């Protein structure tokens, strides 16, 4: 695996400066080409459909209109941000953009797969590029009619998904020649769960595929304590009534909460999809093995930690779509970086490589049917992919 170039790190630093240091107030659906800043759009019309955030505010998104040869091509990207799986968590989220569009930034920068720079993002820079804010706490799966008069919480993530996609169809996506449903972390899960629904709404002639980044949440078996993701998924089923949005072919065989794990419903997805993930995903390591991430960063690599990570890696790889059965409809880029989601970062999109291919190159080759892509890295331990001048293992 080769390392990202120094200029990619500079790009990331510049991105953070723009994000943290720029405050702009303006109208909807405009962008600043030089800064890559895109204004928020509040979808007020969704309220009448009951498609609202946790606090009842309308859903929102950031939209940079396509142009030139990309005018009829679309990328929809769902932001992530974990989940709320009990009432207290959901109430706390209403005080942030993760539960209320009222608190979302007026503008956001687009980088990585959403970037508008032709050199850095040559295949998608001029497409219609949309970033959806994540304010429902259920990975866009909730659908509860009743609103609690005490908490005023709305569990309507599935309705938000449908209202947004309907809006994008009206403003031009109905004529799409190419379309990608994507997302990162908790926002990448709906890119898989809703992949076939998305495909069904678009023209039969369109090339439609899905991309999940840092969203292949592993179901850990045979643990002494109930794993974090099992607690989350049970909470989503109970609180958000998420089971209605899960594949019936899966829920008829096992507990609905298990059908939120990609390994149990991936075989039912008919639309081609692509997985970008680290086999040492930091979110999953943090939540599954509390304290181990700090040990890694402190280079405290005990024999127990090494075995735990190697076992996790193998279990993760075993859960992925089997390569022997993979066709071009199942693409993947599985690296060894100690990292979570990657495709919205210029460093991740253009820098991290597996078998001499960047994520951008691998995904483009797969999406445009140039070649099947199932790239899996080989290191036994996670790599420090930001360290210069060469990549080093965290446990050496």
């Amino acid at each position: 695996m080769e390392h990202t170039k120094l200029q990619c790190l500079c790009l990331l630093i510049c991105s953070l400066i723009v994000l943290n240091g720029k405050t702009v107030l303006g109208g909807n659906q405009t962008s600043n080409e030089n800064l890559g800043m895109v204004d928020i759009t509040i979808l007020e019309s969704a309220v009448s459909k009951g498609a609202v955030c946790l606090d009842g505010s309308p859903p929102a998104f950031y939209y940079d209109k396509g142009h030139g040869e990309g005018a009829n091509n679309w990328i929809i990207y769902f932001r992530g941000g974990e989940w709320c799986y009990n009432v207290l968590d959901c109430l706390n989220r209403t005080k942030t953009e993760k539960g209320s569009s009222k608190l979302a930034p007026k503008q956001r920068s687009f980088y990585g797969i959403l970037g508008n720079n032709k050199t850095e993002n040559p295949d998608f820079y001029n497409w219609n590029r949309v970033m959806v804010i994540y304010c429902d706490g259920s990975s866009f799966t909730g659908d509860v009619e009743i609103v609690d008069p005490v908490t005023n919480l709305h569990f309507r993530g599935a309705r938000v998904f449908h209202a947004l996609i309907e809006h994008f169809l009206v403003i031009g996506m109905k004529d799409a020649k190419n379309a990608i449903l994507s997302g990162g972390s908790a926002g990448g899960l709906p890119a898989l769960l809703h992949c076939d629904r998305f495909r069904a709404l678009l023209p039969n002639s369109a090339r439609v595929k899905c991309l999940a980044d840092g969203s292949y949440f592993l179901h850990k078996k045979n643990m002494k304590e109930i794993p974090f993701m099992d607690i989350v998924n049970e909470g989503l089923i109970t609180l958000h009534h998420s089971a209605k949005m899960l594949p019936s072919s899966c829920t008829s065989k096992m507990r609905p909460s298990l059908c939120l794990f990609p390994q149990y419903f991936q075989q039912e997805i008919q639309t081609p999809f692509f997985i970008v993930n680290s086999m040492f995903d930091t979110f999953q390591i943090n939540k599954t093995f509390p304290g181990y991430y700090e040990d890694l960063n402190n280079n405290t690599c005990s024999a127990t930690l090494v075995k735990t990570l190697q076992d996790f890696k193998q279990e993760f790889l075993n859960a992925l779509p089997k390569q022997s059965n993979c066709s071009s409809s199942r693409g993947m880029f599985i690296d060894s970086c100690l990292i979570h989601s990657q495709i919205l970062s210029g460093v991740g999109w253009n820098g991290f490589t597996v078998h001499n291919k960047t994520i951008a190159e691998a995904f483009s080759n797969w999406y445009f049917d140039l070649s099947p892509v199932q790239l899996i890295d080989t290191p036994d331990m996670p790599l420090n992919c930001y360290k210069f001048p060469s990549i080093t293992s965290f446990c050496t």
Side-chain angles (χ1 to χ4, degrees):
M1 176 177 175
E2 295 182 351
H3 198 275
T4 175
K5 297 180 180 179
L6 183 58
Q7 54 263 41
C8 295
L9 182 60
C10 295
L11 175 61
L12 177 63
I13 294 171
C14 292
S15 303
L16 294 175
I17 292 172
V18 171
L19 280 168
N20 293 323
K22 184 72 174 179
T23 302
V24 182
L25 299 178
N28 289 340
Q29 296 189 1
T30 61
S31 65
N32 183 311
E33 186 174 351
N34 293 326
L35 294 177
M37 300 296 286
V38 180
D39 290 345
I40 195 170
T41 298
I42 306 294
L43 190 60
E44 298 283 358
S45 61
V47 176
S48 63
K49 303 174 183 178
V52 293
C53 301
L54 285 167
D55 70 337
S57 60
F61 57 91
Y62 304 85
Y63 171 43
D64 204 4
K65 188 174 177 61
H67 58 89
E69 294 182 356
N72 289 323
N73 300 331
W74 288 75
I75 299 177
I76 311 299
Y77 181 91
F78 290 98
R79 288 179 58 81
E82 296 196 38
W83 308 265
C84 67
Y85 46 95
N86 60 55
V87 170
L88 181 59
D89 282 344
C90 292
L91 281 173
N92 287 335
R93 286 174 80 98
T94 62
K95 302 171 185 176
T96 74
E97 65 171 296
K98 294 179 182 179
S100 175
S101 63
K102 299 175 184 177
L103 301 174
K106 301 301 181 184
Q107 292 187 320
R108 270 207 162 87
S109 295
F110 280 13
Y111 291 104
I113 194 173
L114 295 183
N116 66 356
N117 186 299
K118 183 177 181 179
T119 301
E120 297 165 2
N121 191 28
D123 294 301
F124 308 112
Y125 77 98
N126 60 354
W127 287 29
N128 294 279
R129 288 159 291 113
V130 181
M131 179 190 291
V132 176
I133 73 163
Y134 175 39
C135 64
D136 69 277
S138 73
S139 286
F140 299 90
T141 62
D143 190 5
V144 180
E145 180 65 34
I146 298 174
V147 178
D148 188 330
V150 177
T151 64
N152 194 42
L153 286 172
H154 298 68
F155 303 111
R156 304 281 183 78
R159 298 189 194 188
V160 169
F161 172 83
H162 288 295
L164 287 167
I165 299 302
E166 287 175 6
H167 176 74
F168 301 144
L169 289 168
V170 168
I171 65 174
M173 196 170 68
K174 67 180 185 301
D175 299 317
K177 295 180 179 178
N178 295 284
I180 299 169
L181 184 66
S182 66
S185 191
L189 192 56
L192 295 176
L193 287 169
H194 294 313
C195 188
D196 288 338
R197 293 185 180 95
F198 183 69
R199 162 70 273 185
L201 294 171
L202 289 159
N204 291 333
S205 59
R207 179 191 284 115
V208 181
K209 301 185 181 184
C210 302
L211 167 61
D213 176 24
S215 311
Y216 201 91
F217 302 106
L218 179 68
H219 179 223
K220 283 289 295 173
K221 305 172 185 177
N222 303 319
M223 293 193 69
K224 294 180 180 179
E225 299 179 357
I226 300 176
F228 172 76
M229 287 304 303
D230 287 66
I231 296 172
V232 167
N233 290 356
E234 288 289 353
L236 294 184
I237 297 298
T238 302
L239 190 61
H240 295 264
H241 295 188
S242 298
K244 292 183 288 186
M245 298 306 296
L246 306 180
S248 58
S249 55
C250 180
T251 56
S252 63
K253 300 174 186 175
M254 58 184 70
R255 298 196 316 273
S257 60
L258 291 176
C259 296
L260 281 159
F261 290 105
Q263 68 203 80
Y264 296 128
F265 68 81
Q266 62 190 1
Q267 67 273 12
E268 310 299 338
I269 302 173
Q270 300 301 308
T271 307
F273 66 86
F274 194 94
I275 297 168
V276 174
N277 226 99
S278 171
M279 62 184 73
F280 300 108
D281 183 280
T282 52
F283 175 82
Q284 298 197 54
I285 290 174
N286 267 325
K287 296 298 184 180
T288 308
F289 312 109
Y292 279 16
Y293 181 60
E294 289 77 6
D295 288 346
L296 276 171
N297 278 326
N298 294 328
N299 288 320
T300 308
C301 299
S302 65
T304 300
L305 172 57
V306 170
K307 185 178 188 309
T308 296
L309 292 178
Q310 290 178 342
D311 289 347
F312 179 87
K313 167 194 170 180
Q314 194 56 54
E315 192 170 348
F316 178 86
L317 295 180
N318 289 342
L320 291 169
K322 297 297 182 287
Q323 285 186 285
S324 59
N325 298 324
C326 278
S327 67
S328 59
S329 68
R330 299 292 185 264
M332 63 184 77
F333 182 100
I334 309 299
D335 59 36
S336 301
C337 299
L338 195 64
I339 198 170
H340 190 32
S341 52
Q342 306 175 60
I343 68 173
L344 282 195
S345 160
V347 176
W349 183 240
N350 291 305
F352 302 154
T353 64
V354 174
H355 304 313
N356 299 318
K357 293 285 187 183
T358 64
I359 301 174
E361 292 168 334
F363 179 72
S364 294
N365 286 342
W366 174 83
Y367 179 79
F368 293 108
D369 302 311
L370 300 179
S371 65
V373 176
Q374 290 108 25
L375 299 177
I376 298 179
D377 210 356
T378 55
D380 288 330
M381 294 302 295
L383 301 176
N384 184 349
C385 296
Y386 288 103
K387 188 174 178 63
F388 293 91
S390 62
I391 294 176
T392 59
S393 172
F394 273 79
C395 293
T396 54

